[in-house]
Amino acid sequence: MSTLIEEARDYFLGLQARIVAQLEAVDGRVFATDRWDRPEGGGGISRLVEDGGLFERGGCNFSHVTGQQLPPSASAHRPELAGRRWEAMGVSLVLHPRNPYVPTVHMNVRMFMTFAAPGSMELDAGWCGGGMDLTPYYGFEHDARHFHQTCKRALDPFGEQWHPRFKRWCDEYFYLKHREEARGVGGIFYDDLNQPDLEGAFALTRAVGDAFSEAYLPIVDRRRSIDYSERERDFQAYRRGRYVEFNLVYDRGTLFGLQSRGRTESILMSLPPLVKWRYDWHPEPGSPEAALYSLIQPRAWV
Amino acid sequence: MSTLIEEARDYFLGLQARIVAQLEAVDGRVFATDRWDRPEGGGGISRLVEDGGLFERGGCNFSHVTGQQLPPSASAHRPELAGRRWEAMGVSLVLHPRNPYVPTVHMNVRMFMTFAAPGSMELDAGWCGGGMDLTPYYGFEHDARHFHQTCKRALDPFGEQWHPRFKRWCDEYFYLKHREEARGVGGIFYDDLNQPDLEGAFALTRAVGDAFSEAYLPIVDRRRSIDYSERERDFQAYRRGRYVEFNLVYDRGTLFGLQSRGRTESILMSLPPLVKWRYDWHPEPGSPEAALYSLIQPRAWV
């Protein structure tokens, strides 16, 4: 079973390297590298950019963390696994472009494993999770459709049931209940996947990771040269407040990371560089800003 | 017992009116007024300012909300009260000045009551909570001492045990575990107070509310004319990120409000107008920014 862990580690590290190389090419700036260790076991490599040519702030992080005893909170829905030795690894990415016409994007692929006995390498359970979602400010239906279609193309070889299921899961997960608002135009989200088996779930997860660049980079290419003014920057900063609210109030990965004493600065790389809050603000009906609120109403994009 | 409710309502409404009048006088701008109803019962009056002469964003909110059945989450530590009819009222204030030499401040006073029977006005339990805390960017020991001394002077007539207890409670409550950092220089915080009885707890709570202006306004007066540049504004925006992290990740009032479908815009008036996040940033040793990190180390201020 250690072969699968090594294979997964190689895959995730390779994915991070490939994506960062592509992002550096579109940004024009070399991403910084931060390696960190976790006192309880494992560590990670954060790759990040601030004040880049395209990205105002962004990161693509690899982490592989291990523990001797699965905490009860992590195994609430699998009580039989409490106390097991565990390993978790994956790649997590959030990019906040400066140009308000280029959407913010998030992608995450991960694998979680528990082991039969304290010193054992014998896997007794494992599952994968992941997804990606797009958060435009001044959005385009064409881009949303392209993003969703790319997700669907990545998943369909594994069974046509997955895309509708993971698309709905994404709409439900990236939802701000206190605003009754979606975070963006969605994408896909899934967790606890071990079907048909862990190897199969990992194969599907690789397909999701591999599809990221094709899902996002053509959108960057199409929108990065659109001119913008203070008005668009202002609306972008306001809408980024929703991103902060979602990540700090609802996002399980963020809250689990902060509560489990993960590496705060790597976890909070997802937060935007410049954010504004304004009381009870609503866009003018018919304005480009109002159009966003229609665009993010969940709908069938493919 | 309805006399106490009426008395509390009159007090909280009067406190809000008095504080807002004083804040308008120092700001130069009339605060807006927003009245709102809660479908499940009760409502509130939000008084707020944005782009004021002194305050970049701030609010002083009164709310009085009622329910037919106390939710289990609200009564976890008082299981005997689950399902009771309840009322909660209070005043909550957060002010974010534009000048980075003027600290952000928070104050809250509240009363919570449960009733013996669905239609009954007969109180079966009640308690008070409240406090105030100061969050400087470029801080002054003199100001921190004045703020703490004013809190102590307000509490001492009710017994000298309260100030040390509520001061420590404040240090523990307004603490960002994931940063291992205090939110600011503290102040006082308390909850679940019904000693010697509800009337006594309410009298103490009135003293806290009444002390706010004396605790904060002299600091505003002393610091509002200090010149500042982009450097100070930048550090203020960065530190305001901590305020957002605390309020959205830890603050019970905020999370309870959002989860219980409170009025989102009134709850999130506590968030600053303009905020920045920056990766793994640390102040230069010896700089004025580094001085803040020493100032906010919890200590005996009085």
Side-chain angles (χ1 to χ4, degrees):
Chain A
M1 268 307 159
S2 66
T3 338
L4 181 61
I5 299 181
E6 280 158 30
E7 198 188 316
R9 191 178 163 94
D10 288 350
Y11 170 74
F12 288 128
L13 281 168
L15 178 69
Q16 180 192 34
R18 272 183 289 135
I19 289 177
V20 169
Q22 288 173 307
L23 295 175
E24 286 176 338
V26 299
D27 188 87
R29 185 149 177 176
V30 173
F31 280 37
T33 302
D34 243 5
R35 287 164 201 277
W36 51 274
D37 292 314
R38 181 166 167 276
E40 298 80 10
I45 305 171
S46 297
R47 301 294 313 274
L48 45 116
V49 66
E50 287 187 319
D51 287 320
L54 180 72
F55 300 115
E56 197 174 349
R57 179 168 152 98
C60 180
N61 300 334
F62 165 81
S63 67
H64 180 185
V65 301
T66 64
Q68 292 307 317
Q69 289 214 316
L70 193 63
S73 68
S75 58
H77 61 304
R78 294 173 196 252
E80 74 279 11
L81 299 179
R84 289 284 204 284
R85 188 172 87 74
W86 59 274
E87 302 201 11
M89 66 172 98
V91 171
S92 186
L93 165 159
V94 173
L95 299 168
H96 292 288
R98 186 178 298 102
N99 187 324
Y101 288 96
V102 184
T104 286
V105 72
H106 157 256
M107 188 277 290
N108 171 246
V109 279
R110 58 190 181 274
M111 184 188 275
F112 199 95
M113 290 149 290
T114 61
F115 298 87
S120 161
M121 291 302 285
E122 196 196 328
L123 203 62
D124 67 357
W127 57 92
C128 291
M132 58 180 107
D133 74 295
L134 195 70
T135 307
Y137 304 95
Y138 294 86
F140 298 86
E141 295 199 353
H142 180 76
D143 294 348
R145 207 168 293 119
H146 163 81
F147 192 83
H148 281 274
Q149 264 159 354
T150 309
C151 290
K152 180 168 158 53
R153 262 202 310 276
L155 292 174
D156 276 355
F158 301 89
E160 297 205 339
Q161 73 276 27
W162 297 122
H163 182 259
R165 201 180 291 182
F166 295 174
K167 194 270 183 198
R168 196 175 341 114
W169 201 338
C170 185
D171 287 340
E172 287 162 8
Y173 182 80
F174 293 105
Y175 184 75
L176 288 85
K177 292 185 203 70
H178 64 285
R179 301 278 189 186
E180 299 184 2
E181 239 177 54
R183 172 159 101 166
V185 296
I188 52 173
F189 180 88
Y190 63 100
D191 203 356
D192 294 313
L193 187 74
N194 55 9
Q195 287 176 274
D197 51 25
L198 182 57
E199 284 75 5
F202 178 50
L204 179 150
T205 298
R206 287 199 306 273
V208 170
D210 293 343
F212 167 74
S213 301
E214 173 52 24
Y216 184 60
L217 295 182
I219 298 174
V220 171
D221 223 46
R222 275 199 292 278
R223 310 304 171 193
R224 64 180 298 172
S225 305
I226 302 177
D227 281 339
Y228 59 89
S229 67
E230 263 315 296
R231 171 182 175 149
E232 288 96 328
R233 281 286 285 171
D234 200 50
F235 181 60
Q236 178 193 47
Y238 174 76
R239 291 292 313 174
R240 281 170 170 176
R242 303 292 209 268
Y243 217 80
V244 175
E245 291 173 23
F246 181 84
N247 283 12
L248 296 184
V249 175
Y250 300 107
D251 187 60
R252 277 181 241 144
T254 302
L255 297 176
F256 176 78
L258 295 180
Q259 284 161 8
S260 66
R261 301 285 192 146
R263 187 168 184 267
T264 294
E265 288 291 343
S266 297
I267 297 165
L268 298 185
M269 264 311 294
S270 65
L271 300 184
L274 180 73
V275 186
K276 293 180 181 175
W277 274 274
R278 196 175 310 151
Y279 181 72
D280 208 16
W281 182 82
H282 301 282
E284 293 280 322
S287 67
E289 290 76 19
L292 178 71
Y293 292 76
S294 314
L295 191 74
I296 64 176
Q297 297 291 336
R299 68 175 99 168
W301 282 106
V302 290
Chain B
M1 268 303 158
S2 66
T3 337
L4 181 62
I5 299 180
E6 279 157 31
E7 198 189 318
R9 190 179 162 93
D10 288 350
Y11 170 74
F12 288 129
L13 281 167
L15 178 69
Q16 180 192 35
R18 273 184 289 135
I19 289 177
V20 169
Q22 289 173 307
L23 295 176
E24 286 177 337
V26 299
D27 189 88
R29 184 147 177 178
V30 173
F31 281 36
T33 302
D34 244 5
R35 286 164 201 278
W36 51 274
D37 293 313
R38 182 167 167 278
E40 298 80 10
I45 304 172
S46 298
R47 301 294 314 270
L48 45 114
V49 64
E50 286 186 319
D51 288 320
L54 180 72
F55 300 115
E56 199 175 349
R57 179 168 152 97
C60 181
N61 300 333
F62 165 81
S63 67
H64 179 183
V65 300
T66 64
Q68 292 308 317
Q69 290 215 313
L70 194 62
S73 68
S75 59
H77 61 303
R78 295 174 195 252
E80 73 279 12
L81 299 179
R84 290 284 205 284
R85 189 173 87 74
W86 59 274
E87 301 201 11
M89 66 172 97
V91 171
S92 186
L93 165 159
V94 173
L95 299 168
H96 292 288
R98 187 179 297 103
N99 186 324
Y101 287 96
V102 184
T104 286
V105 72
H106 159 255
M107 188 276 290
N108 171 246
V109 279
R110 58 190 181 276
M111 183 188 276
F112 199 96
M113 290 148 292
T114 61
F115 298 87
S120 161
M121 290 303 283
E122 196 194 330
L123 203 63
D124 68 355
W127 57 91
C128 291
M132 58 181 107
D133 74 297
L134 194 70
T135 308
Y137 304 95
Y138 293 87
F140 299 85
E141 295 199 355
H142 181 75
D143 294 348
R145 207 168 293 118
H146 163 81
F147 191 83
H148 282 275
Q149 263 159 354
T150 310
C151 290
K152 180 169 158 52
R153 262 201 309 276
L155 292 174
D156 276 355
F158 300 89
E160 297 204 341
Q161 73 277 27
W162 297 122
H163 182 259
R165 201 180 291 182
F166 295 174
K167 193 270 185 200
R168 196 176 340 112
W169 201 338
C170 185
D171 287 342
E172 287 163 8
Y173 182 79
F174 292 105
Y175 185 74
L176 288 84
K177 292 185 204 72
H178 64 283
R179 301 278 189 186
E180 299 184 1
E181 239 176 53
R183 172 161 101 166
V185 297
I188 52 173
F189 180 89
Y190 63 100
D191 203 356
D192 293 313
L193 187 74
N194 55 9
Q195 288 177 275
D197 51 25
L198 182 57
E199 283 76 6
F202 178 50
L204 179 149
T205 298
R206 286 199 306 272
V208 171
D210 293 343
F212 167 74
S213 301
E214 173 52 24
Y216 184 60
L217 295 181
I219 298 173
V220 171
D221 223 46
R222 276 200 292 278
R223 311 303 171 193
R224 65 180 298 172
S225 304
I226 302 177
D227 280 338
Y228 60 88
S229 66
E230 263 315 295
R231 173 184 172 146
E232 288 96 329
R233 280 286 284 173
D234 199 51
F235 181 59
Q236 178 193 47
Y238 175 76
R239 290 293 312 172
R240 282 171 170 175
R242 302 292 210 271
Y243 217 81
V244 175
E245 291 173 24
F246 180 83
N247 284 11
L248 295 184
V249 175
Y250 299 107
D251 188 59
R252 278 180 239 144
T254 302
L255 296 177
F256 176 77
L258 295 181
Q259 284 160 10
S260 66
R261 301 286 191 141
R263 187 169 185 266
T264 294
E265 288 292 342
S266 297
I267 298 164
L268 297 185
M269 265 311 292
S270 65
L271 300 184
L274 180 73
V275 185
K276 292 180 181 176
W277 273 274
R278 196 175 311 151
Y279 182 74
D280 208 17
W281 182 84
H282 302 283
E284 293 280 322
S287 67
E289 291 76 20
L292 177 71
Y293 291 76
S294 314
L295 191 74
I296 63 177
Q297 296 291 336
R299 67 176 99 168
W301 282 106
V302 291

